[in-house]
Amino acid sequence: MAEESALVTLDDVRAAATRIADRVLRTPLVPAAWGDEAHPLWLKPENLQVIGAFKIRGALNAIGALDEVARARGVVTHSSGNHAQAVALAAREYGLKATIVMPEQAPEVKLDATRALGGEVVLVPPAERESRVAELVAEHGYAYVPPFDHPDIIAGQGTIGLELLADLPDVATVLVPVSGGGLLSGVATAVKALRPNVRVLGCEPELAGDTAESFRLGERRVWPVEQTYRTMADALRVCVGELTWAHIRERVDGVLTVTEDEIAEAVRVLATRSRLVAEPGGAVAVAAYLAHAGELDHGPVVAVVSGGNIDPALLASLLAS
């Protein structure tokens, strides 16, 4: 279990913001006119990042923090798709080789995008993602860039928290998707350090609700892939990590879960009412808002739209439903 002293600090997040400032899009806050009057909604559209997801922040910070010797060996990671693209692009910007271990069920749109960015993709069964990375590190000496459970990743994702507080100082609640927990950990770190009274809530599918269960029981729970892979939110199928759980336990106020129908409705609402394309995992915070707004504290709400890399056929089917 991580000690309090091992947790990422506000200074770490600010350092990450400086490191990645010229390499990422500072996404705006977009007002949603269809929000609840008692809980005005603002969207933080990380789907507008160059790779279509927030993951570029953590990947650039982590690779940027590597020393030259480590970079020269190349990097490796595992991902269902968004972190894969982020590492591939960050490695390309630094002139490095990137090897990406991806689950065989990863959406084709994410596989194609990762390869197009120069990543060498290795496909494995979902349960073998981490073990295959360990083998590649041992074989080639690659530097491992974890998808979530690392201080540099958490600090990079936390830059979102700095931006949303600067743009909406009177925010009352921040809704953040959670899977491995890097995004939630980072945002909570920044928000709680600067505005302790703001409520930070994780949001996840009921079918991959390990964080909600962990929060309820007060200890980290890991669900088997057979359970988490039931959700359409492919970006949210991994369980919270040990380091991220330490952050979440200390700095997050609660976890909301949503059904598959609620996720689908959020994708439709974002597309038709805010003109934003979100993948199911990227729409989960909005789904939580739509399902649970009445339970939130009065005042402005920010929902992080974490990604927009949705298979076109899935988007078409959801919009037609």
Side-chain angles (χ1 to χ4, degrees), residues 234-303:
D234 60 277
L236 306 183
R237 289 171 174 166
V238 300
C239 293
V240 70
E242 292 185 6
L243 181 59
T244 53
W245 167 242
H247 287 75
I248 291 167
R249 187 186 63 238
E250 294 294 328
R251 297 171 178 174
V252 172
D253 296 292
V255 181
L256 303 173
T257 60
V258 290
T259 67
E260 297 298 288
D261 286 345
E262 289 165 345
I263 295 171
E265 177 63 12
V267 171
R268 288 191 288 268
V269 168
L270 284 166
T272 59
R273 305 194 68 178
S274 288
R275 276 68 62 189
L276 290 172
V277 174
E279 62 190 274
V284 161
V286 171
Y289 176 87
L290 292 171
H292 299 283
E295 305 165 27
L296 305 178
D297 293 346
H298 280 218
V301 178
V302 171

Side-chain angles (χ1 to χ4, degrees), residues 110-307:
K110 295 183 178 181
L111 290 169
D112 291 344
T114 301
R115 292 181 175 122
L117 290 168
E120 179 182 317
V121 173
V122 178
L123 293 175
V124 299
E128 296 178 15
R129 285 167 47 159
E130 294 189 30
S131 61
R132 185 64 182 128
V133 165
E135 291 170 0
L136 289 167
V137 169
E139 290 170 17
H140 303 284
Y142 297 147
Y144 176 38
V145 182
F148 49 85
D149 218 28
H150 190 279
D152 291 333
I153 297 292
I154 293 170
Q157 320 306 22
T159 59
I160 292 171
L162 297 180
E163 293 176 8
L164 69 86
L165 285 181
D167 290 346
L168 192 66
D170 64 342
V171 62
T173 305
V174 180
L175 302 177
V176 187
V178 56
S179 180
L183 176 60
L184 179 57
S185 297
V187 171
T189 293
V191 170
K192 288 297 187 179
L194 293 169
R195 294 287 308 282
N197 293 331
V198 174
R199 288 180 60 79
V200 179
L201 302 175
C203 308
E204 68 182 350
E206 285 183 357
L207 296 183
D210 62 286
T211 309
E213 182 177 301
S214 299
F215 209 87
R216 186 173 64 253
L217 298 177
E219 62 180 20
R220 176 174 172 258
R221 308 291 289 184
V222 176
W223 287 19
V225 294
E226 292 79 12
Q227 284 185 269
T228 61
Y229 268 64
R230 297 173 300 164
T231 179
M232 75 171 82
D234 60 277
L236 306 183
R237 289 171 174 166
V238 300
C239 293
V240 70
E242 292 185 6
L243 181 59
T244 53
W245 167 242
H247 287 75
I248 291 167
R249 187 186 63 238
E250 294 294 328
R251 297 171 178 174
V252 172
D253 296 292
V255 181
L256 303 173
T257 60
V258 290
T259 67
E260 297 298 288
D261 286 345
E262 289 165 345
I263 295 171
E265 177 63 12
V267 171
R268 288 191 288 268
V269 168
L270 284 166
T272 59
R273 305 194 68 178
S274 288
R275 276 68 62 189
L276 290 172
V277 174
E279 62 190 274
V284 161
V286 171
Y289 176 87
L290 292 171
H292 299 283
E295 305 165 27
L296 305 178
D297 293 346
H298 280 218
V301 178
V302 171
V304 178
V305 181
S306 55

